[in-house]
Amino acid sequence: MIDFLLSHPEKIVSPLLNHIYMTAVTLVISVLLASLLTVLAAVIPVLGNILTAFFSVVYSIPSLALFALQIPLTGLGRTTAVTVLCAYNQYLLLGNFLAGLNEVDPGVREAAKGIGMTVMQELFLVQVPLAKKALFAGIRLAVVSTIGIGTIAAAINAGGLGVLLFDGLRTMNTVKILWGSLLSAILAVSANGILKWAEKGVSG
Amino acid sequence: MNNRRMIAIEYEQVSKQFSKNAKPSVDRVSAQIEEGEFITILGSSGCGKTTLLKMTNRLLDPSGGRIILFGQDISTVDPVTVRRRMGYVIQQIGLLPHMTVEENITILPKLMKQDRETVRSRARQLLSMVQLDPDTYAARYPSELSGGQQQRVGLARALMPDPKIMLLDEPFGAIDAITRISLQNELLRIHRETKKTFLLVTHDINEAMKLGMRVMIMDKGRLLQFDTPHNIIRHPADPFVEALIRSAYEQQSFWEGVQDD
């Protein structure tokens, strides 16, 4: 395995960087989107239920099928991969965000309302800080899931660590398969760790 | 102008039905509360007293009737505006756990972009008024305070915008008997000092009679009697009121009996 790394470093490093890039782009877009949808759901509670139901249906579609379905719209490549990964993440993020915000003590929320906070003030000054743990848990879950599902994206030419896995499978090259699996696992574990560390920083 | 004081709160046939087939939680309540009065609303749990209070600051909206504050029908006023004009104290939690005492008291005026220094000095003044030393307590978190101290902070926060009306929903419900008595006395003192209109909900007849200049007695959503403690005790208007008073007497004679032994 080390021989392979030394003889073809670019065959490992480039898919890895690609994977990190894909994950980062997906994370930023999906967190922004989920935050926006969460705010909308706070204003219009029915919308939260509709969105949750919709994205749970999306999430139940196997990834390869969803990638294939998206190809006519955005073609082969990274855009399609990121679009699909963001759609999957909405289920995880929105679900965790809404559940976390709703779990804030109803007495505290009523007090916030009772002293004259608007819906937005209650959301950002009371619910978000008190639900920080659940919000971060949702983000960590989404990142790990993105890294995992992202390997399938190689099937639609989006690159990433999936390239190593698929190549390895096609040519029966165990070393490639091992490198692909090992690196996605390491990536997932370290992303989780980094986010946990960031969470501690935010909580002060 | 005549000598009569202004009407602060007027309930006009106010009803609340939470669902179509349910019995009304509040059933055609009509009452007038004058400015500067200390009114207590007394009743057992589920009698509609908290519902009536929450309709007063639009945490709930009536399904029938009108509520008029200083001549203005509150259904025409934005709920957030209604709430910012009133002080609101609820039992137990009430305080925002992630904010210090000072932040809890000053959050609303700060959001309304009032001058920071003025707000700060008023917060300190109010802490002293509720007998909490600002230097000791301003920077503490609610979890570092006793139940009684938390309720003092809740009181200071409600007084912050200098509201004309104070709504208190069983503020001493979760507080031990000794602390409760001293908080009750302080509430009376604050009422005397501020001359605000106080509306306090309680299920404790002793508390209702001690604090209220007039007492609203509610049962099953209806307002049974609204009068001074003296008149209620002398002339109970309803068998339920009579039973309530008898229960208080029985408790008292128990204590007297123990003393005589």
Side-chain angles (χ1 to χ4, degrees), chain A residues 105-119 121 125-127 129-130, chain B residues 54 57 59 80 83-84 86 88 90 93-99 104 107-108 111 157:
Chain A
D105 193 321
V108 171
R109 291 181 59 184
E110 185 163 281
K113 216 178 273 140
I115 62 170
M117 283 197 187
T118 62
V119 173
Q121 289 166 348
L125 299 174
V126 178
Q127 283 175 278
L130 290 176
Chain B
K54 284 184 181 172
N57 68 356
L59 279 176
V80 171
R83 289 172 208 147
R84 287 182 178 177
M86 270 183 259
Y88 184 55
I90 53 176
I93 11 166
L95 300 179
L96 307 174
H98 58 303
M99 295 186 190
N104 260 284
I107 176 86
L108 240 284
L111 288 176
R157 182 177 66 185

mmCIF file of all heavy atoms in Angstrom, chain A residues 105-119 121 125-127 129-130, chain B residues 54 57 59 80 83-84 86 88 90 93-99 104 107-108 111 157:
data_model
loop_
_atom_site.group_PDB
_atom_site.id
_atom_site.type_symbol
_atom_site.label_atom_id
_atom_site.label_comp_id
_atom_site.label_asym_id
_atom_site.label_seq_id
_atom_site.Cartn_x
_atom_site.Cartn_y
_atom_site.Cartn_z
ATOM 1 N N ASP A 105 -37.086 24.611 26.123
ATOM 2 C CA ASP A 105 -38.139 24.646 27.129
ATOM 3 C C ASP A 105 -39.284 25.595 26.751
ATOM 4 O O ASP A 105 -39.067 26.783 26.553
ATOM 5 C CB ASP A 105 -37.509 25.116 28.453
ATOM 6 C CG ASP A 105 -38.441 24.883 29.613
ATOM 7 O OD1 ASP A 105 -39.651 25.096 29.446
ATOM 8 O OD2 ASP A 105 -37.949 24.488 30.678
ATOM 9 N N PRO A 106 -40.510 25.064 26.627
ATOM 10 C CA PRO A 106 -41.631 25.927 26.237
ATOM 11 C C PRO A 106 -41.858 27.077 27.211
ATOM 12 O O PRO A 106 -42.295 28.153 26.804
ATOM 13 C CB PRO A 106 -42.839 24.988 26.211
ATOM 14 C CG PRO A 106 -42.392 23.691 26.757
ATOM 15 C CD PRO A 106 -40.906 23.651 26.762
ATOM 16 N N GLY A 107 -41.519 26.860 28.489
ATOM 17 C CA GLY A 107 -41.663 27.940 29.472
ATOM 18 C C GLY A 107 -40.742 29.103 29.169
ATOM 19 O O GLY A 107 -41.126 30.272 29.260
ATOM 20 N N VAL A 108 -39.493 28.772 28.785
ATOM 21 C CA VAL A 108 -38.527 29.815 28.447
ATOM 22 C C VAL A 108 -38.987 30.573 27.195
ATOM 23 O O VAL A 108 -38.910 31.799 27.128
ATOM 24 C CB VAL A 108 -37.132 29.194 28.213
ATOM 25 C CG1 VAL A 108 -36.169 30.217 27.650
ATOM 26 C CG2 VAL A 108 -36.596 28.621 29.510
ATOM 27 N N ARG A 109 -39.506 29.817 26.230
ATOM 28 C CA ARG A 109 -39.968 30.467 25.002
ATOM 29 C C ARG A 109 -41.151 31.376 25.279
ATOM 30 O O ARG A 109 -41.262 32.461 24.721
ATOM 31 C CB ARG A 109 -40.355 29.415 23.961
ATOM 32 C CG ARG A 109 -39.146 28.644 23.438
ATOM 33 C CD ARG A 109 -39.539 27.643 22.393
ATOM 34 N NE ARG A 109 -40.195 28.307 21.257
ATOM 35 C CZ ARG A 109 -40.707 27.647 20.234
ATOM 36 N NH1 ARG A 109 -40.651 26.333 20.205
ATOM 37 N NH2 ARG A 109 -41.273 28.292 19.241
ATOM 38 N N GLU A 110 -42.036 30.918 26.151
ATOM 39 C CA GLU A 110 -43.197 31.753 26.451
ATOM 40 C C GLU A 110 -42.777 33.026 27.196
ATOM 41 O O GLU A 110 -43.327 34.099 26.961
ATOM 42 C CB GLU A 110 -44.221 30.978 27.276
ATOM 43 C CG GLU A 110 -45.471 31.814 27.470
ATOM 44 C CD GLU A 110 -46.659 30.981 27.900
ATOM 45 O OE1 GLU A 110 -47.244 30.341 27.022
ATOM 46 O OE2 GLU A 110 -46.973 30.978 29.087
ATOM 47 N N ALA A 111 -41.776 32.885 28.059
ATOM 48 C CA ALA A 111 -41.271 34.062 28.760
ATOM 49 C C ALA A 111 -40.702 35.058 27.750
ATOM 50 O O ALA A 111 -40.964 36.257 27.829
ATOM 51 C CB ALA A 111 -40.195 33.660 29.766
ATOM 52 N N ALA A 112 -39.955 34.544 26.769
ATOM 53 C CA ALA A 112 -39.371 35.418 25.752
ATOM 54 C C ALA A 112 -40.471 36.156 24.994
ATOM 55 O O ALA A 112 -40.395 37.361 24.765
ATOM 56 C CB ALA A 112 -38.518 34.601 24.789
ATOM 57 N N LYS A 113 -41.500 35.400 24.641
ATOM 58 C CA LYS A 113 -42.626 36.006 23.923
ATOM 59 C C LYS A 113 -43.328 37.005 24.840
ATOM 60 O O LYS A 113 -43.683 38.099 24.433
ATOM 61 C CB LYS A 113 -43.599 34.892 23.516
ATOM 62 C CG LYS A 113 -44.245 35.119 22.178
ATOM 63 C CD LYS A 113 -45.147 33.949 21.815
ATOM 64 C CE LYS A 113 -44.399 32.861 21.124
ATOM 65 N NZ LYS A 113 -44.717 31.503 21.475
ATOM 66 N N GLY A 114 -43.510 36.591 26.092
ATOM 67 C CA GLY A 114 -44.277 37.399 27.046
ATOM 68 C C GLY A 114 -43.635 38.746 27.352
ATOM 69 O O GLY A 114 -44.335 39.714 27.609
ATOM 70 N N ILE A 115 -42.283 38.803 27.322
ATOM 71 C CA ILE A 115 -41.653 40.102 27.594
ATOM 72 C C ILE A 115 -41.579 40.939 26.326
ATOM 73 O O ILE A 115 -41.060 42.045 26.340
ATOM 74 C CB ILE A 115 -40.240 39.968 28.230
ATOM 75 C CG1 ILE A 115 -39.291 39.247 27.287
ATOM 76 C CG2 ILE A 115 -40.311 39.283 29.571
ATOM 77 C CD1 ILE A 115 -37.841 39.293 27.759
ATOM 78 N N GLY A 116 -42.073 40.412 25.210
ATOM 79 C CA GLY A 116 -42.210 41.250 24.018
ATOM 80 C C GLY A 116 -41.188 41.004 22.933
ATOM 81 O O GLY A 116 -40.895 41.891 22.144
ATOM 82 N N MET A 117 -40.612 39.789 22.878
ATOM 83 C CA MET A 117 -39.702 39.501 21.770
ATOM 84 C C MET A 117 -40.512 39.143 20.521
ATOM 85 O O MET A 117 -41.547 38.484 20.612
ATOM 86 C CB MET A 117 -38.796 38.317 22.115
ATOM 87 C CG MET A 117 -37.673 38.683 23.046
ATOM 88 S SD MET A 117 -36.406 37.401 23.011
ATOM 89 C CE MET A 117 -35.344 37.976 24.322
ATOM 90 N N THR A 118 -39.996 39.542 19.358
ATOM 91 C CA THR A 118 -40.636 39.144 18.111
ATOM 92 C C THR A 118 -40.256 37.690 17.818
ATOM 93 O O THR A 118 -39.375 37.126 18.477
ATOM 94 C CB THR A 118 -40.151 40.010 16.943
ATOM 95 O OG1 THR A 118 -38.741 39.812 16.802
ATOM 96 C CG2 THR A 118 -40.415 41.489 17.196
ATOM 97 N N VAL A 119 -40.900 37.093 16.821
ATOM 98 C CA VAL A 119 -40.611 35.702 16.470
ATOM 99 C C VAL A 119 -39.118 35.531 16.137
ATOM 100 O O VAL A 119 -38.475 34.575 16.561
ATOM 101 C CB VAL A 119 -41.473 35.256 15.263
ATOM 102 C CG1 VAL A 119 -41.060 33.874 14.790
ATOM 103 C CG2 VAL A 119 -42.941 35.265 15.642
ATOM 104 N N GLN A 121 -36.546 37.484 17.096
ATOM 105 C CA GLN A 121 -35.722 37.676 18.300
ATOM 106 C C GLN A 121 -35.752 36.428 19.171
ATOM 107 O O GLN A 121 -34.733 35.999 19.692
ATOM 108 C CB GLN A 121 -36.221 38.905 19.084
ATOM 109 C CG GLN A 121 -35.908 40.213 18.377
ATOM 110 C CD GLN A 121 -36.670 41.387 18.942
ATOM 111 O OE1 GLN A 121 -37.609 41.226 19.722
ATOM 112 N NE2 GLN A 121 -36.280 42.589 18.542
ATOM 113 N N LEU A 125 -32.197 34.837 19.573
ATOM 114 C CA LEU A 125 -31.610 35.181 20.866
ATOM 115 C C LEU A 125 -31.905 34.150 21.940
ATOM 116 O O LEU A 125 -31.248 34.112 22.971
ATOM 117 C CB LEU A 125 -32.130 36.556 21.328
ATOM 118 C CG LEU A 125 -31.780 37.717 20.397
ATOM 119 C CD1 LEU A 125 -32.457 38.985 20.856
ATOM 120 C CD2 LEU A 125 -30.275 37.906 20.342
ATOM 121 N N VAL A 126 -32.915 33.319 21.707
ATOM 122 C CA VAL A 126 -33.278 32.338 22.730
ATOM 123 C C VAL A 126 -33.138 30.909 22.208
ATOM 124 O O VAL A 126 -32.388 30.112 22.742
ATOM 125 C CB VAL A 126 -34.714 32.586 23.246
ATOM 126 C CG1 VAL A 126 -35.097 31.542 24.276
ATOM 127 C CG2 VAL A 126 -34.822 33.992 23.834
ATOM 128 N N GLN A 127 -33.850 30.594 21.127
ATOM 129 C CA GLN A 127 -33.874 29.209 20.670
ATOM 130 C C GLN A 127 -32.516 28.754 20.135
ATOM 131 O O GLN A 127 -32.022 27.687 20.507
ATOM 132 C CB GLN A 127 -34.941 29.024 19.591
ATOM 133 C CG GLN A 127 -36.344 28.955 20.155
ATOM 134 C CD GLN A 127 -37.356 28.901 19.043
ATOM 135 O OE1 GLN A 127 -37.727 29.918 18.486
ATOM 136 N NE2 GLN A 127 -37.804 27.711 18.700
ATOM 137 N N PRO A 129 -29.311 29.896 20.608
ATOM 138 C CA PRO A 129 -28.259 29.647 21.613
ATOM 139 C C PRO A 129 -28.555 28.454 22.522
ATOM 140 O O PRO A 129 -27.637 27.737 22.912
ATOM 141 C CB PRO A 129 -28.210 30.943 22.425
ATOM 142 C CG PRO A 129 -29.221 31.859 21.879
ATOM 143 C CD PRO A 129 -29.822 31.280 20.656
ATOM 144 N N LEU A 130 -29.819 28.231 22.832
ATOM 145 C CA LEU A 130 -30.138 27.122 23.739
ATOM 146 C C LEU A 130 -30.142 25.776 23.011
ATOM 147 O O LEU A 130 -30.063 24.730 23.644
ATOM 148 C CB LEU A 130 -31.484 27.362 24.423
ATOM 149 C CG LEU A 130 -31.489 28.494 25.452
ATOM 150 C CD1 LEU A 130 -32.881 28.731 26.004
ATOM 151 C CD2 LEU A 130 -30.525 28.201 26.589
ATOM 152 N N LYS B 54 -53.381 35.495 30.041
ATOM 153 C CA LYS B 54 -52.630 35.437 28.776
ATOM 154 C C LYS B 54 -53.355 36.145 27.637
ATOM 155 O O LYS B 54 -52.718 36.558 26.672
ATOM 156 C CB LYS B 54 -52.360 33.979 28.392
ATOM 157 C CG LYS B 54 -51.252 33.353 29.218
ATOM 158 C CD LYS B 54 -50.960 31.953 28.742
ATOM 159 C CE LYS B 54 -49.864 31.305 29.581
ATOM 160 N NZ LYS B 54 -49.723 29.898 29.249
ATOM 161 N N ASN B 57 -52.302 40.001 27.510
ATOM 162 C CA ASN B 57 -51.146 40.495 26.744
ATOM 163 C C ASN B 57 -51.018 39.776 25.392
ATOM 164 O O ASN B 57 -49.943 39.723 24.812
ATOM 165 C CB ASN B 57 -49.843 40.445 27.557
ATOM 166 C CG ASN B 57 -49.380 39.028 27.834
ATOM 167 O OD1 ASN B 57 -50.055 38.065 27.485
ATOM 168 N ND2 ASN B 57 -48.208 38.897 28.432
ATOM 169 N N LEU B 59 -50.908 36.747 24.493
ATOM 170 C CA LEU B 59 -50.253 35.452 24.287
ATOM 171 C C LEU B 59 -51.303 34.492 23.752
ATOM 172 O O LEU B 59 -51.008 33.506 23.095
ATOM 173 C CB LEU B 59 -49.666 34.933 25.598
ATOM 174 C CG LEU B 59 -48.315 35.519 25.999
ATOM 175 C CD1 LEU B 59 -47.885 35.009 27.358
ATOM 176 C CD2 LEU B 59 -47.252 35.219 24.958
ATOM 177 N N VAL B 80 -46.837 42.080 19.803
ATOM 178 C CA VAL B 80 -45.535 42.422 20.381
ATOM 179 C C VAL B 80 -45.603 43.785 21.068
ATOM 180 O O VAL B 80 -45.082 43.978 22.164
ATOM 181 C CB VAL B 80 -44.426 42.392 19.296
ATOM 182 C CG1 VAL B 80 -43.129 42.955 19.829
ATOM 183 C CG2 VAL B 80 -44.219 40.963 18.804
ATOM 184 N N ARG B 83 -47.403 43.468 24.387
ATOM 185 C CA ARG B 83 -46.578 42.835 25.425
ATOM 186 C C ARG B 83 -45.496 43.766 25.940
ATOM 187 O O ARG B 83 -45.128 43.725 27.115
ATOM 188 C CB ARG B 83 -45.941 41.560 24.866
ATOM 189 C CG ARG B 83 -46.967 40.470 24.678
ATOM 190 C CD ARG B 83 -46.388 39.288 23.959
ATOM 191 N NE ARG B 83 -47.464 38.603 23.232
ATOM 192 C CZ ARG B 83 -47.309 37.982 22.089
ATOM 193 N NH1 ARG B 83 -46.125 37.940 21.505
ATOM 194 N NH2 ARG B 83 -48.322 37.401 21.497
ATOM 195 N N ARG B 84 -44.963 44.598 25.053
ATOM 196 C CA ARG B 84 -43.891 45.500 25.486
ATOM 197 C C ARG B 84 -44.411 46.601 26.386
ATOM 198 O O ARG B 84 -43.652 47.262 27.081
ATOM 199 C CB ARG B 84 -43.187 46.096 24.259
ATOM 200 C CG ARG B 84 -42.335 45.062 23.587
ATOM 201 C CD ARG B 84 -41.582 45.612 22.408
ATOM 202 N NE ARG B 84 -40.743 44.550 21.850
ATOM 203 C CZ ARG B 84 -39.990 44.686 20.772
ATOM 204 N NH1 ARG B 84 -39.945 45.841 20.139
ATOM 205 N NH2 ARG B 84 -39.258 43.688 20.335
ATOM 206 N N MET B 86 -46.487 45.974 28.768
ATOM 207 C CA MET B 86 -46.887 45.355 30.027
ATOM 208 C C MET B 86 -45.737 44.585 30.662
ATOM 209 O O MET B 86 -44.889 44.060 29.963
ATOM 210 C CB MET B 86 -48.030 44.374 29.761
ATOM 211 C CG MET B 86 -49.362 45.036 29.868
ATOM 212 S SD MET B 86 -50.660 43.853 29.642
ATOM 213 C CE MET B 86 -51.074 44.212 27.985
ATOM 214 N N TYR B 88 -44.575 41.234 32.635
ATOM 215 C CA TYR B 88 -45.115 39.885 32.676
ATOM 216 C C TYR B 88 -44.192 39.003 33.498
ATOM 217 O O TYR B 88 -43.005 38.881 33.198
ATOM 218 C CB TYR B 88 -45.241 39.362 31.240
ATOM 219 C CG TYR B 88 -45.870 37.996 31.099
ATOM 220 C CD1 TYR B 88 -47.118 37.713 31.637
ATOM 221 C CD2 TYR B 88 -45.222 36.994 30.389
ATOM 222 C CE1 TYR B 88 -47.695 36.462 31.485
ATOM 223 C CE2 TYR B 88 -45.788 35.735 30.226
ATOM 224 C CZ TYR B 88 -47.028 35.484 30.778
ATOM 225 O OH TYR B 88 -47.593 34.248 30.622
ATOM 226 N N ILE B 90 -43.875 35.105 35.157
ATOM 227 C CA ILE B 90 -44.491 33.786 35.243
ATOM 228 C C ILE B 90 -43.788 32.946 36.291
ATOM 229 O O ILE B 90 -42.701 33.278 36.749
ATOM 230 C CB ILE B 90 -44.492 33.039 33.895
ATOM 231 C CG1 ILE B 90 -43.102 32.992 33.303
ATOM 232 C CG2 ILE B 90 -45.458 33.679 32.941
ATOM 233 C CD1 ILE B 90 -43.042 32.189 32.022
ATOM 234 N N ILE B 93 -39.374 29.004 35.830
ATOM 235 C CA ILE B 93 -38.331 29.338 34.861
ATOM 236 C C ILE B 93 -38.271 30.811 34.451
ATOM 237 O O ILE B 93 -37.434 31.517 34.922
ATOM 238 C CB ILE B 93 -38.427 28.438 33.617
ATOM 239 C CG1 ILE B 93 -39.757 27.688 33.691
ATOM 240 C CG2 ILE B 93 -37.244 27.492 33.621
ATOM 241 C CD1 ILE B 93 -40.209 27.030 32.484
ATOM 242 N N GLY B 94 -39.129 31.219 33.574
ATOM 243 C CA GLY B 94 -39.247 32.638 33.232
ATOM 244 C C GLY B 94 -37.986 33.335 32.760
ATOM 245 O O GLY B 94 -37.986 34.007 31.748
ATOM 246 N N LEU B 95 -36.864 33.140 33.469
ATOM 247 C CA LEU B 95 -35.631 33.804 33.067
ATOM 248 C C LEU B 95 -34.961 33.022 31.938
ATOM 249 O O LEU B 95 -35.090 31.805 31.845
ATOM 250 C CB LEU B 95 -34.670 33.896 34.254
ATOM 251 C CG LEU B 95 -35.198 34.675 35.457
ATOM 252 C CD1 LEU B 95 -34.161 34.682 36.570
ATOM 253 C CD2 LEU B 95 -35.578 36.091 35.075
ATOM 254 N N LEU B 96 -34.237 33.739 31.105
ATOM 255 C CA LEU B 96 -33.529 33.092 30.010
ATOM 256 C C LEU B 96 -32.220 32.522 30.560
ATOM 257 O O LEU B 96 -31.362 33.276 31.027
ATOM 258 C CB LEU B 96 -33.269 34.107 28.888
ATOM 259 C CG LEU B 96 -34.556 34.821 28.435
ATOM 260 C CD1 LEU B 96 -34.251 35.915 27.425
ATOM 261 C CD2 LEU B 96 -35.558 33.839 27.853
ATOM 262 N N PRO B 97 -32.050 31.193 30.539
ATOM 263 C CA PRO B 97 -30.962 30.548 31.277
ATOM 264 C C PRO B 97 -29.563 30.877 30.753
ATOM 265 O O PRO B 97 -28.599 30.741 31.486
ATOM 266 C CB PRO B 97 -31.254 29.043 31.116
ATOM 267 C CG PRO B 97 -32.164 28.941 29.953
ATOM 268 C CD PRO B 97 -32.933 30.219 29.868
ATOM 269 N N HIS B 98 -29.470 31.310 29.474
ATOM 270 C CA HIS B 98 -28.143 31.563 28.899
ATOM 271 C C HIS B 98 -27.726 33.015 29.041
ATOM 272 O O HIS B 98 -26.719 33.432 28.489
ATOM 273 C CB HIS B 98 -28.118 31.136 27.438
ATOM 274 C CG HIS B 98 -29.161 31.833 26.600
ATOM 275 N ND1 HIS B 98 -30.496 31.771 26.905
ATOM 276 C CD2 HIS B 98 -29.063 32.594 25.496
ATOM 277 C CE1 HIS B 98 -31.181 32.471 26.000
ATOM 278 N NE2 HIS B 98 -30.329 32.978 25.138
ATOM 279 N N MET B 99 -28.506 33.797 29.768
ATOM 280 C CA MET B 99 -28.158 35.203 29.942
ATOM 281 C C MET B 99 -27.999 35.515 31.426
ATOM 282 O O MET B 99 -28.683 34.939 32.263
ATOM 283 C CB MET B 99 -29.264 36.094 29.370
ATOM 284 C CG MET B 99 -29.440 35.960 27.873
ATOM 285 S SD MET B 99 -30.618 37.164 27.273
ATOM 286 C CE MET B 99 -30.856 36.573 25.598
ATOM 287 N N ASN B 104 -30.749 39.556 31.285
ATOM 288 C CA ASN B 104 -32.174 39.235 31.330
ATOM 289 C C ASN B 104 -33.024 40.488 31.504
ATOM 290 O O ASN B 104 -34.064 40.635 30.870
ATOM 291 C CB ASN B 104 -32.461 38.273 32.487
ATOM 292 C CG ASN B 104 -32.581 36.835 32.025
ATOM 293 O OD1 ASN B 104 -33.590 36.452 31.453
ATOM 294 N ND2 ASN B 104 -31.538 36.053 32.249
ATOM 295 N N ILE B 107 -32.434 43.007 28.188
ATOM 296 C CA ILE B 107 -32.466 42.544 26.796
ATOM 297 C C ILE B 107 -33.486 43.314 25.951
ATOM 298 O O ILE B 107 -33.166 43.780 24.855
ATOM 299 C CB ILE B 107 -32.688 41.005 26.712
ATOM 300 C CG1 ILE B 107 -32.818 40.525 25.266
ATOM 301 C CG2 ILE B 107 -33.922 40.543 27.461
ATOM 302 C CD1 ILE B 107 -31.535 40.240 24.609
ATOM 303 N N LEU B 108 -34.686 43.504 26.466
ATOM 304 C CA LEU B 108 -35.721 44.146 25.648
ATOM 305 C C LEU B 108 -35.422 45.613 25.353
ATOM 306 O O LEU B 108 -35.418 46.008 24.192
ATOM 307 C CB LEU B 108 -37.089 43.970 26.313
ATOM 308 C CG LEU B 108 -38.109 43.210 25.463
ATOM 309 C CD1 LEU B 108 -38.653 44.083 24.351
ATOM 310 C CD2 LEU B 108 -37.507 41.941 24.860
ATOM 311 N N LEU B 111 -32.839 45.741 22.768
ATOM 312 C CA LEU B 111 -33.358 45.430 21.437
ATOM 313 C C LEU B 111 -34.115 46.617 20.859
ATOM 314 O O LEU B 111 -34.162 46.815 19.659
ATOM 315 C CB LEU B 111 -34.299 44.216 21.505
ATOM 316 C CG LEU B 111 -33.644 42.862 21.750
ATOM 317 C CD1 LEU B 111 -34.701 41.787 21.898
ATOM 318 C CD2 LEU B 111 -32.707 42.528 20.607
ATOM 319 N N ARG B 157 -37.234 42.522 35.872
ATOM 320 C CA ARG B 157 -37.306 42.544 34.406
ATOM 321 C C ARG B 157 -38.665 43.071 33.934
ATOM 322 O O ARG B 157 -38.749 43.852 32.987
ATOM 323 C CB ARG B 157 -37.080 41.140 33.843
ATOM 324 C CG ARG B 157 -37.093 41.108 32.333
ATOM 325 C CD ARG B 157 -36.803 39.735 31.778
ATOM 326 N NE ARG B 157 -37.860 38.786 32.115
ATOM 327 C CZ ARG B 157 -37.803 37.485 31.820
ATOM 328 N NH1 ARG B 157 -36.741 36.996 31.202
ATOM 329 N NH2 ARG B 157 -38.780 36.690 32.152
#
